[in-house]
Amino acid sequence: MTPPVSNLSNPTGNAYAQLISALHHSDLEGSTILEIDILPSSHSPQLLYEHPALALPKGLLIQLYLTARKLLFSHLASPREETYDAALKATSIVLLWDPNHLTAANFRKRYIRSLSSTWAENGYAEEDGRRLTDAVQRELRFLDSLLTSPLNKHAKASTLWGQRLWIMQNFWAQALEDSSSVEGDTPNKATIKRIMSHWDYELSIVMKAAERHPRNYYAWQYARQLLQLVDGELSPQMKGIRVESLGKAHQWCLMHPRDVSGWGFLVFLMASEETVDGDSDGRRIVRETREWVRKYEWEGESVEWFLKAVGQLQLG
């Protein structure tokens, strides 16, 4: 049941529990991302939540952050099993206020590592594997919310993008929810389809974050690194993935022509050997861009840089 709107005189009481509940929504099957908005402190200290929307005033969030930070550091100073879960949940509020809080991010990494170690120690038991996969999926959904919500700093937070890349590099099968994937195996057709779908989803997250925070170098750099990871998994199929991504990235750039980071990612795709087919794809992108510039009489520096870059690299 969706929690009701809270109206509290004690913001660190019921509001804390409701915020924890909202940030740890258990519906892993749903595709809707929780959108979080921080309101001005002039709003009354109420937490407004109806999935998939969450809003709370800055003043209330500060108080909840201080409570969460105290819980986290109290546990770190004197670790006890009975306080571990509360400390783990507290990290979500800490990161909601401070997206580059390394202590909170690393605590969450250690939790996932501990589940991975338990899985290995128990002979890769199915139940332990499912617990690890669920934890990885929850972490990705949590990062989805922070990176795509209309928050001030989160979409361009290097710690959050680093956290996401760490998951992809270390828990690729769990990120795909593919327990049958074993390092070194040739991907079967179902796995190939899942990887391609996963890349499309990740690219959509990057583009959404780049809309939230223009010139988002960290988001586009994550896309470059993830594409290289996908390349290692699907080398024979990479040409199709890159060509499809090329079209999506170009359309995004034309809708955000002042964003040089997006144009930089487009150059990265065009410079990849797997992308172009007899240079036809590169020429088409350059031709369409020049036609767009003439049509709208565009004089932005980012587009001009792109055309110079592809010319110097002889990509179009």
Side-chain angles (χ1 to χ4, degrees):
M1 180 179 296
T2 302
V5 173
S6 62
N7 187 358
L8 306 163
S9 57
N10 178 16
T12 59
N14 193 30
Y16 185 93
Q18 287 203 355
L19 181 55
I20 288 292
S21 176
L23 294 176
H24 292 80
H25 196 273
S26 60
D27 182 15
L28 290 176
E29 302 300 324
S31 59
T32 305
I33 299 174
L34 177 67
E35 183 168 301
I36 308 169
D37 200 359
I38 299 177
L39 307 174
S41 297
S42 56
H43 285 251
S44 60
Q46 297 177 345
L47 188 149
L48 310 174
Y49 173 52
E50 183 172 351
H51 193 75
L54 170 67
L56 70 166
K58 183 177 180 180
L60 175 59
L61 178 57
I62 291 173
Q63 295 180 61
L64 299 181
Y65 161 76
L66 293 174
T67 299
R69 186 182 184 279
K70 183 178 180 180
L71 282 171
L72 174 61
F73 280 92
S74 294
H75 174 80
L76 292 173
S78 181
R80 299 193 307 276
E81 185 176 351
E82 58 268 25
T83 61
Y84 183 85
D85 187 59
L88 179 63
K89 290 179 178 178
T91 59
S92 61
I93 297 181
V94 172
L95 289 171
L96 178 57
W97 173 251
D98 181 1
N100 286 309
H101 199 290
L102 285 173
T103 301
N106 288 336
F107 193 94
R108 298 174 75 89
K109 284 182 181 178
R110 287 195 297 272
Y111 169 66
I112 295 177
R113 277 204 189 104
S114 69
L115 294 178
S116 179
S117 298
T118 300
W119 185 38
E121 291 167 1
N122 292 339
Y124 299 100
E126 183 178 349
E127 182 179 351
D128 293 321
R130 172 46 55 185
R131 188 176 295 114
L132 172 61
T133 298
D134 286 350
V136 169
Q137 288 296 314
R138 286 193 178 93
E139 187 67 11
L140 290 174
R141 298 294 80 77
F142 174 64
L143 291 172
D144 287 348
S145 294
L146 295 188
L147 292 169
T148 63
S149 290
L151 302 170
N152 186 35
K153 299 175 290 185
H154 295 65
K156 203 175 183 179
S158 58
T159 298
L160 297 183
W161 287 111
Q163 187 95 343
R164 196 175 189 93
L165 182 63
W166 176 83
I167 290 174
M168 297 302 171
Q169 291 173 334
N170 293 277
F171 300 98
W172 177 251
Q174 289 75 24
L176 294 176
E177 293 189 279
D178 183 7
S179 58
S180 65
S181 178
V182 178
E183 187 175 354
D185 282 1
T186 301
N188 56 39
K189 289 184 178 180
T191 302
I192 290 171
K193 185 177 181 180
R194 183 167 290 183
I195 292 175
M196 295 174 72
S197 175
H198 183 69
W199 162 249
D200 287 342
Y201 180 79
E202 291 298 307
L203 184 59
S204 72
I205 293 294
V206 168
M207 289 180 172
K208 184 66 174 179
E211 290 174 359
R212 295 295 190 194
H213 200 306
R215 300 172 184 85
N216 196 333
Y217 167 81
Y218 294 106
W220 292 112
Q221 180 64 8
Y222 167 80
R224 292 184 184 92
Q225 293 171 308
L226 182 61
L227 191 60
Q228 290 168 348
L229 179 62
V230 172
D231 194 355
E233 297 285 334
L234 292 180
S235 292
Q237 293 80 21
M238 279 308 296
K239 179 178 178 180
I241 291 177
R242 289 179 184 271
V243 169
E244 182 179 348
S245 301
L246 187 67
K248 292 179 179 179
H250 187 222
Q251 289 302 311
W252 190 93
C253 289
L254 292 180
M255 290 188 292
H256 307 84
R258 297 186 186 278
D259 198 311
V260 69
S261 294
W263 289 107
F265 179 70
L266 185 58
V267 171
F268 166 79
L269 287 175
M270 294 176 66
S272 302
E273 294 180 0
E274 298 88 344
T275 298
V276 295
D277 182 8
D279 288 339
S280 61
D281 296 301
R283 287 198 300 270
R284 175 180 55 81
I285 292 294
V286 172
R287 183 180 67 253
E288 290 177 358
T289 302
R290 285 176 174 154
E291 290 174 354
W292 183 90
V293 169
R294 285 194 295 270
K295 179 179 180 180
Y296 295 102
E297 299 181 351
W298 191 261
E299 298 179 353
E301 293 182 1
S302 297
V303 180
E304 182 180 349
W305 171 86
F306 166 75
L307 292 173
K308 286 182 179 179
V310 295
Q312 292 174 352
L313 296 173
Q314 297 181 345
L315 300 177

